[in-house]
Amino acid sequence: MGTIKDKAANGLFWAIMEKGGKQFIQFTLGIVIARHLTPADYGIVGMLAIFMAISGVLLDSGIGSALVQKQNRTDEDISTAYYSTFAISIILYTILYISAPYISSFYKTPILTSITRVLSLTLIINSFYMPAMTLLSIRLDFKAQTVISLIALLAGGVLGIILAVKGAGPWALVYYSLAESLIRGILYQCYVHYIPHTRFSKNSFKYIFSFGTKILFANIVGSIYNNLYTLVIGRAFDAHNVGIFNRGKNFPESLTYIVSHSVVKVAYPIFSKFQFDKEKLQDMFLKAMQLEAFFLAPFFTGMILLAKPLVLLVLKDKWIECVPILQLLSIGSLWLPFIDLSTNLFYSVGRTDVTLKYQLIEKPIAIVMLFVSVPFGLKVMCIVRIISAFNSYLLYVLFIQHYFHVSFFSQFKNISQPILMSGIMAIAVFFTTFNIDSNIAKLCIGTLTGIFTYILIGLLLKSSSLCTILDFIKEKQNKKQAKTT
């Protein structure tokens, strides 16, 4: 049991390093590139988000989740997944290549024809390394994934900066993505040395897709909704507004990506190992949820309070319109990590039918609310997105209560302390930065005040998440000292 705990802690550390490092590099590169591109340049590429997201879901088709969940997987299972993923990527690229002129016609943006055809090549590239990445996840080897991801991202980002400086416009973002995928694929292959068997197993294919089909449909519904905003904004407004929305969304999404994806990436394989121990699953789920809340609640609170100096300092005046978008979406983003964690809890016990049921109940309502809000403008659309996110979380709370017998009260109580701590922190940050005019001073003082206040309150309230983190740090230090002596 101690081994699993050590692997989980170590895996979470490296997963956070990967996601955090990746987001830091993306954020830094994004700032440099954004200074040489316009909101419209970002908006042009952003218009393809829904098509690339759905293609990405179809490419995975729940294959990776099926391999992780299956405890007696064989080489045939993995090779079958490899061939299946590659075949799907070819089909998807062909569809997007043919559809490219119609996509550009829909948005009335001719350049999208060539951009779609080039950017879609990432699907074929990604298909080569997805099985290798799944193998590393099964082994809980997140250190290798961290190194590979950061090297690929940095190399692709440098190319993107060079092209942006030379005036490539939206093509800088396209080749940035293409180079990142290509380098990641090469590095995964060099590290894992995975060579698939020549045999394709029908039985393996049947199992993988019987498990993955419901995940596939659930993820398609989710991806359509998550990227529908850019499609609707691009059609109802213009590329400039798509760029403003995406840039405002990027800040809170980056935080969500670091914490939520790190926790889920480690939690899902471990949940799967204990899928028959319901009591243990309940305990691990609640601890994981509390850990997410501990990190994300103060981050989003700080983001809301310091959005304006942050945008003006790093992106300059031309992006000022994204400040209210950033603030509104930070509120809604708080609930999304809990939804992802709940989804993976059901995946771990093989109940993919429940996640599909959830999507079919929740997403049609959210889509109707989206279209109703369009005539009222971008801000109202963001407010509706907040309401939809909270409704989604409430629905999963009810599902967890029904299927895992974790009460409604227990789930809310579990995240209430970090939210309360963040509320007190917000008061301290507001009053310390109220009369500060300098953007850099306001951002620095507000950040330091928030961190100090939040940790102090955590110590006073004896926050279990904070105690867990401090214990982990002490344990690491003790092990390091033991090796040196």
Side-chain angles (χ1 to χ4, degrees):
M1 197 59 157
T3 304
I4 290 294
K5 184 178 179 181
D6 289 342
K7 283 185 177 180
N10 193 55
L12 182 59
F13 172 77
W14 282 109
I16 289 175
M17 287 294 291
E18 178 198 355
K19 305 302 180 185
K22 186 175 181 179
Q23 287 304 310
F24 176 77
I25 293 173
Q26 281 184 330
F27 183 76
T28 305
L29 294 172
I31 291 170
V32 177
I33 293 174
R35 288 171 179 263
H36 295 89
L37 300 182
T38 66
D41 291 329
Y42 272 92
I44 288 170
V45 178
M47 287 173 174
L48 295 176
I50 187 168
F51 304 102
M52 296 306 297
I54 293 173
S55 297
V57 170
L58 289 168
L59 181 62
D60 179 66
S61 298
I63 293 172
S65 297
L67 288 176
V68 173
Q69 197 270 345
K70 189 177 182 182
Q71 297 303 296
N72 59 340
R73 70 191 71 82
T74 64
D75 289 339
E76 279 191 351
D77 294 327
I78 299 168
S79 62
T80 299
Y82 180 89
Y83 291 125
S84 301
T85 304
F86 177 68
I88 292 169
S89 72
I90 297 297
I91 295 170
L92 289 171
Y93 179 75
T94 303
I95 292 171
L96 286 171
Y97 187 93
I98 295 171
S99 303
Y102 302 102
I103 294 172
S104 65
S105 176
F106 175 80
Y107 285 117
K108 300 176 182 178
T109 308
I111 194 176
L112 279 176
T113 299
S114 51
I115 286 179
T116 302
R117 288 172 172 171
V118 175
L119 189 61
S120 300
L121 288 170
T122 57
L123 296 171
I124 298 175
I125 297 169
N126 292 348
S127 71
F128 284 105
Y129 70 79
M130 285 177 70
M133 186 171 64
T134 301
L135 283 173
L136 292 181
S137 294
I138 291 168
R139 300 171 192 168
L140 298 180
D141 186 356
F142 299 107
K143 182 177 180 179
Q145 294 185 57
T146 300
V147 175
I148 290 170
S149 292
L150 297 186
I151 292 173
L153 179 61
L154 193 58
V158 169
L159 176 62
I161 290 173
I162 293 171
L163 292 174
V165 171
K166 291 192 172 183
W171 285 104
L173 300 173
V174 174
Y175 286 111
Y176 173 179
S177 297
L178 201 62
E180 182 190 346
S181 292
L182 182 61
I183 293 167
R184 185 185 286 115
I186 293 170
L187 292 176
Y188 266 115
Q189 186 58 37
C190 290
Y191 182 81
V192 179
H193 299 294
Y194 175 70
I195 300 174
H197 291 268
T198 54
R199 185 178 174 185
F200 179 91
S201 171
K202 290 183 179 178
N203 289 332
S204 293
F205 181 83
K206 185 177 180 181
Y207 171 81
I208 289 170
F209 278 90
S210 64
F211 179 89
T213 301
K214 294 183 181 69
I215 293 180
L216 171 63
F217 285 118
N219 287 346
I220 286 175
V221 174
S223 286
I224 289 173
Y225 172 73
N226 291 335
N227 294 278
L228 191 59
Y229 274 77
T230 54
L231 186 146
V232 172
I233 294 167
R235 181 66 178 175
F237 304 106
D238 54 25
H240 175 83
N241 279 281
V242 174
I244 293 298
F245 175 80
N246 280 347
R247 178 50 61 179
K249 182 165 66 83
N250 179 257
F251 283 93
E253 274 193 353
S254 296
L255 294 174
T256 303
Y257 183 84
I258 293 170
V259 178
S260 177
H261 285 227
S262 298
V263 172
V264 167
K265 193 170 187 177
V266 177
Y268 178 57
I270 296 174
F271 283 174
S272 297
K273 287 181 183 293
F274 293 95
Q275 59 186 283
F276 301 110
D277 188 345
K278 292 292 189 281
E279 190 173 324
K280 186 67 178 175
L281 268 181
Q282 291 174 3
D283 181 61
M284 290 190 297
F285 171 73
L286 290 174
K287 285 180 178 178
M289 180 183 283
Q290 190 175 64
L291 190 64
E292 287 187 328
F294 179 82
F295 282 110
L296 290 173
F299 276 129
F300 287 136
T301 302
M303 192 76 75
I304 294 166
L305 292 169
L306 302 173
K308 187 174 181 179
L310 176 63
V311 170
L312 289 175
L313 187 65
V314 301
L315 297 176
K316 301 302 182 183
D317 295 349
K318 64 181 177 181
W319 290 97
I320 189 66
E321 292 175 80
C322 78
V323 170
I325 307 302
L326 189 162
Q327 292 170 320
L328 289 170
L329 295 182
S330 291
I331 300 172
S333 294
L334 176 61
W335 311 107
L336 301 181
F338 307 140
I339 295 170
D340 288 341
L341 188 65
S342 301
T343 299
N344 280 271
L345 180 64
F346 281 105
Y347 286 172
S348 70
V349 296
R351 292 304 307 269
T352 54
D353 59 308
V354 177
T355 61
L356 178 58
K357 180 180 178 182
Y358 161 83
Q359 294 286 9
L360 294 177
I361 293 173
E362 188 270 331
K363 286 301 182 285
I365 298 172
I367 290 171
V368 170
M369 291 173 64
L370 163 62
F371 281 106
V372 170
S373 69
V374 172
F376 301 97
L378 200 55
K379 291 180 183 178
V380 174
M381 291 173 70
C382 291
I383 293 171
V384 166
R385 193 178 173 96
I386 296 172
I387 297 170
S388 297
F390 185 67
N391 288 342
S392 301
Y393 168 65
L394 286 180
L395 182 60
Y396 250 136
V397 168
L398 295 174
F399 274 36
I400 296 291
Q401 178 177 260
H402 178 72
Y403 289 99
F404 290 94
H405 309 295
V406 181
S407 70
F408 192 92
F409 176 75
S410 295
Q411 294 181 65
F412 270 103
K413 182 183 177 183
N414 199 50
I415 63 172
S416 61
Q417 189 183 68
I419 293 175
L420 173 64
M421 290 163 58
S422 298
I424 299 171
M425 183 199 80
I427 296 171
V429 172
F430 176 79
F431 282 107
T432 53
T433 60
F434 184 73
N435 290 317
I436 300 175
D437 295 324
S438 168
N439 289 323
I440 189 167
K442 193 167 190 173
L443 191 61
C444 292
I445 293 172
T447 300
L448 291 174
T449 301
I451 293 171
F452 176 78
T453 305
Y454 191 74
I455 293 176
L456 178 62
I457 297 168
L459 291 171
L460 292 173
L461 296 178
K462 296 180 180 179
S463 165
S464 59
S465 294
L466 181 58
C467 290
T468 300
I469 294 166
L470 293 175
D471 288 342
F472 175 73
I473 294 172
K474 287 179 183 177
E475 190 176 338
K476 281 282 185 183
Q477 288 176 340
N478 291 337
K479 286 182 179 180
K480 192 174 183 180
Q481 290 174 356
K483 287 181 179 180
T484 55
T485 56

